Structures are given as structure tokens and as C-alpha cells.
Amino acid sequence: MTTTGEDHTEASAGPWWWARWRSAVLDGALALVSSVECATEGFPFAGAAGVPVPAGMLFGAVAGSVLLFRRRWPIAVVLVSIAITPAQMGFLMGLVGLYTLAASELPRRIIGALAGMSMVGMLIVTYVRAHQGMVRGDVALGDWFVPFVSITTSLGMTAPPVLLGLYVGARRRLMESLRERADSLERELQLLAERAEERAQWARNEERTRIAREMHDVVAHRVSLMVVHAAALQAVARKDPEKAVKNASLVGDMGRQALTELREMLGVLRAGDGSVRGAGYGSAPVQAVPLAAVGAAAAAAASRVAEEESEGPCLDDLDELVGQSAAAGMVVDLSVEGETRVYAAMVEQTAYRVVQEALTNVHKHAAGAKTRVRLAHRGAEIAMQVENGPPPEPGAASDARLPSGGNGLLGMKERVVGLGGVFVSGPTDAGGFRVSAVIPAGG
């Protein structure tokens, strides 16, 4: 990954206005060389100007040291170099100043104006010096030599540093833009990764809940009926009572064990960390069940149920469902209101599961209680209600000793709300329990 802008700034901090110590050392060295150069050139300047030599050299040294501030005030450096051009000083300062000016973030019109002033100043000074040399006889060439030397020198001292500075400045701005884009892209990727992790966690939780709900609906009702039948068998056995009671007790134990294991598995699936807080048989802890294995088992169970019930449970199977509960000893009555019609598969399956789980809860908690199942077909929705009275005898509800994990009502509510419906459950004033749900007809 690239270094962010904040980290880049902290890592490259230098003294005063310099971004790096290396830049400060470079500018200091350039200023020292420029001071020496200007001080050396100040010797002939002092003689030509009629000033003391130390004053001329000191003037040159001070003027040359201005190059130290080229990054902070590039315009001032160029103006000083233009000002001392008639004294034939500051050639290094002029070159470096123009380069720094062109590479800076200043507007192009300012860069062009100062570069033009520097070129004109160099052109005039060179022309005057060359013409004086021709007059004195130092140079014996044609009239073309003076303008040629003037133009060539002024262009050579101005164009290369300006062009190089423009190129370096454009490249620097491009690199900064690329760095900013890379930092922005890195932040976006980090945000996308965090969101993807959140979505993956949400999907895992949803899948756990879905598998838990499906396994509960597929297995719990039938196993509960098996336990109820086994308890009834124990009560009515007449022939070979000892063997009948033994076999019935074995069936009841197997059913209770299956429900207990199912409850533990549902706890694993609903746990956010994928582990079971309780213990298994004895003192050994229950190992976490892999989600993929549980999903495969749930899919296999659902597949077997689909083979037995064609395309899954529907409202036409309610008569058989109520008959199974009646065969187990429940006094149950089914009433249907409105015109029967076909709904979407998910709507019919959800309605069936709500009635199925409600009847299962009656077997668990109110064995022998009178139960009424109502189904109402309305214009834009389907409504169902399962209401039972209190058990006929205190303690009758616990005769079968059916374990309960507390996930049945939660699963019913999740199914109904998932289809945009309304689910309500709670005790009645008569001491029973009522489960009501309304599901939109379109699902």
C-alpha cells in the first residue's frame, strides 16, 4: 500500500520552510557557491564602479546568498538576479532562480513575465558588453556577431532553466496527484473491505438463522409427535405390559434425546461466535458444529421432506396436520373462512409452518387442552389463528417431558415478518395461549 498524505508529511519534515533536510543542505550549498561566485565577480565590478574592492566583494557575497531563499521566495531571487545582471554577477543565481520559479505553483503569467524580464536584461547587458568589445578592438568580427552573441546568450541563460523547471513542476504535480489518487483509492478499498466484512457477517448470521429455522420446522414437529405417541403407549399398553412399557420408554427417550441435540445445534447456529456455551453429555463440552456440515444436513433433511411431500407443505395439508395432532390425543378443531384459493408457495408454506409450530407448542406446554385452528382467506391477505385453552389437569403439560429451546415462536415471527406480515402471540385471559399471524396474499 502507498503511504498516506499524513504519513508522508510527517516522514518528510525538515527545518523551517524546507520539506526535507536534504533540500535544506542543497540550498545551503548552492547559496554558498553563489556567494563565492558573486564575491569573485564583485572584484572587477568594484574597479569598474569606482568603489572599494571589499565593498564590491561584500555586495556580491550578500547578493549571492539570496539563493538560500529560492524555495520560499522564488520571485525575490529572480528579481535580485535581474538587478545584478548589469554588474555581470549572479549567473548561477539566475539559472537556479529561473528553474525554481518555473517549477513552483505560481501562475504562468508571472513566470513568463519574470523570465521575459531576465532574458531582456541579459540581452541588453550582453549586447552592450559585446559592442564595447568590438569598439575597443577586443573582437574583430562582422556586425552580425554582436546580435548573435546577445540573442544566443540570453536564450541560453533563460530558456533551458525555465523549460526544465516547467517539466519538473508538471512532473511533481502529476506525482502528487497520483499519490493523492492512490491514497484515496486505498481509503476506498479499506472502506469497501470493511463493508464487505460487515455484509459477510450479516450473511453468515442470516444463514445460521435460516438453517436453524428450517431444521426446527423439518424435525421438531414430527419428533414431538413421536414422544407424545410414546407417552400415550405407556399409558394404554395392556398386552405384555412390561415389554410395551419398555419399548415405549425407549422411544420416548430417543425422541427427547433427538430434541435435546436439535436444540443444542440450533444454539450453535444462532450463536455469533459459532460455539456452544453449555456442556454436552456429562462434563464434556459440545464441539462447534461446522456451518457447512449443518447446512448440508439441513438440505438433506429438507430434500427428504420434499420427496415425501412433493413441493413442500401447503394449505391443503392442514387437514392431515390437524389429524395427526388429533390422533395424538389433542382435541382440535379446524375452521376455514372465506373462499379458498391458491397462494404463492412461500405464503402457503409459511402459513402451514405457523399452524404446525403452534400445535407443537400445545403438545409441549398444554397437553390435552382444547385447541381451535382458524384460517381466514381475505381479499389481500391470509390470516391464521391457533388458540388453546388451559390444560385439563395441572401438570399434564409436563407428562411427556418435551424439551423446549424457545426458538419456535421466534422462527414463526421471522418467517411472517420476512413476508411483510404481522405476528402476535401471547397468553389469553382464560389461561390458554394464542398465536395469530396475517400474511399478505402476494407474499
Side-chain angles (χ1 to χ4, degrees):
M1 292 293 181
T2 61
T3 304
T4 60
E6 293 79 7
D7 296 340
H8 179 75
T9 302
E10 293 177 1
S12 58
W16 295 332
W17 59 83
W18 285 282
R20 293 181 295 270
W21 278 97
R22 184 178 61 183
S23 301
V25 173
L26 175 63
D27 289 355
L30 290 174
L32 179 62
V33 174
S34 177
S35 296
V36 173
E37 176 205 353
C38 291
T40 303
E41 293 166 346
F43 182 80
F45 167 73
V51 297
V53 174
M57 297 183 66
L58 178 62
F59 170 77
V62 173
S65 64
V66 175
L67 192 59
L68 183 67
F69 307 97
R70 69 182 185 97
R71 297 180 191 268
R72 187 65 179 271
W73 298 296
I75 296 178
V77 173
V78 174
L79 290 176
V80 171
S81 68
I82 295 174
I84 64 177
T85 298
Q88 290 187 320
M89 291 184 186
F91 295 104
L92 176 63
M93 183 169 58
L95 293 174
V96 177
L98 287 174
Y99 163 79
T100 305
L101 178 69
S104 66
E105 301 291 337
L106 293 172
R108 294 297 177 85
R109 62 179 182 277
I110 296 179
I111 297 175
L114 291 176
M117 292 173 57
S118 179
M119 185 178 67
V120 172
M122 182 63 64
L123 177 66
I124 295 175
V125 171
T126 306
Y127 183 87
V128 171
R129 293 294 183 182
H131 183 70
Q132 290 176 352
M134 291 283 293
V135 172
R136 289 195 305 266
D138 297 338
V139 180
L141 294 174
D143 296 338
W144 58 270
F145 179 74
V146 175
F148 173 77
V149 170
S150 303
I151 295 174
T152 303
T153 303
S154 60
L155 287 176
M157 295 292 292
T158 306
V162 171
L163 294 177
L164 180 61
L166 291 174
Y167 166 75
V168 172
R171 183 175 180 274
R172 182 187 300 123
R173 288 187 289 272
L174 176 61
M175 295 300 296
E176 291 177 355
S177 174
L178 293 176
R179 184 182 296 109
E180 291 177 357
R181 292 179 60 184
D183 294 341
S184 176
L185 180 60
E186 180 180 3
R187 289 190 293 269
E188 291 179 1
L189 290 176
Q190 291 176 350
L191 181 60
L192 289 175
E194 293 175 358
R195 291 181 177 177
E197 179 62 25
E198 292 176 358
R199 287 194 297 267
Q201 183 63 34
W202 176 84
R204 286 193 294 267
N205 293 336
E206 287 294 314
E207 186 64 13
R208 287 190 182 99
T209 303
R210 186 191 67 82
I211 294 173
R213 186 169 57 244
E214 291 297 329
M215 293 194 67
H216 185 278
D217 292 339
V218 168
V219 180
H221 180 71
R222 295 185 177 180
V223 177
S224 298
L225 289 179
M226 181 180 66
V227 177
V228 171
H229 280 295
L233 181 61
Q234 290 179 349
V236 302
R238 291 296 182 266
K239 295 181 180 180
D240 197 358
E242 183 178 354
K243 183 177 181 181
V245 171
K246 181 178 180 181
N247 291 340
S249 178
L250 177 61
V251 173
D253 291 340
M254 291 176 59
R256 282 187 290 271
Q257 181 180 356
L259 285 178
T260 301
E261 293 176 351
L262 175 63
R263 187 176 68 254
E264 292 175 354
M265 188 175 297
L266 295 179
V268 171
L269 293 174
R270 290 187 180 274
D273 56 357
S275 62
V276 180
R277 289 186 295 268
Y281 301 109
S283 59
V286 178
Q287 299 297 326
V289 181
L291 185 58
V294 176
S303 176
R304 288 193 295 270
V305 172
E307 292 177 359
E308 298 174 1
E309 302 181 357
S310 299
E311 297 182 357
C314 59
L315 294 178
D316 294 337
D317 300 326
L318 283 181
D319 291 333
E320 181 181 356
L321 178 65
V322 172
Q324 293 174 355
S325 296
M330 178 186 295
V331 180
V332 56
D333 176 59
L334 172 63
S335 62
V336 180
E337 303 174 2
E339 183 180 354
T340 303
R341 62 182 186 274
V342 179
Y343 301 92
M346 285 299 298
V347 174
E348 295 205 8
Q349 291 178 17
T350 300
Y352 179 91
R353 296 300 188 191
V354 169
V355 176
Q356 180 189 59
E357 180 59 30
L359 292 177
T360 301
N361 287 340
V362 175
H363 284 295
K364 291 181 180 179
H365 308 293
K370 294 182 180 180
T371 305
R372 185 180 182 184
V373 179
R374 297 177 58 191
L375 185 68
H377 299 277
R378 301 172 182 172
E381 60 190 16
I382 178 174
M384 63 225 66
Q385 184 182 89
V386 180
E387 181 178 352
N388 64 272
E393 299 178 5
S398 60
D399 288 343
R401 299 191 303 278
L402 289 170
S404 176
N407 293 319
L409 293 176
L410 176 61
M412 284 190 284
K413 183 176 181 180
E414 289 174 348
R415 283 183 177 274
V416 174
V417 173
L419 296 179
V422 178
F423 178 84
V424 178
S425 64
T428 62
D429 296 337
F433 199 84
R434 181 187 298 116
V435 172
S436 303
V438 179
I439 306 175

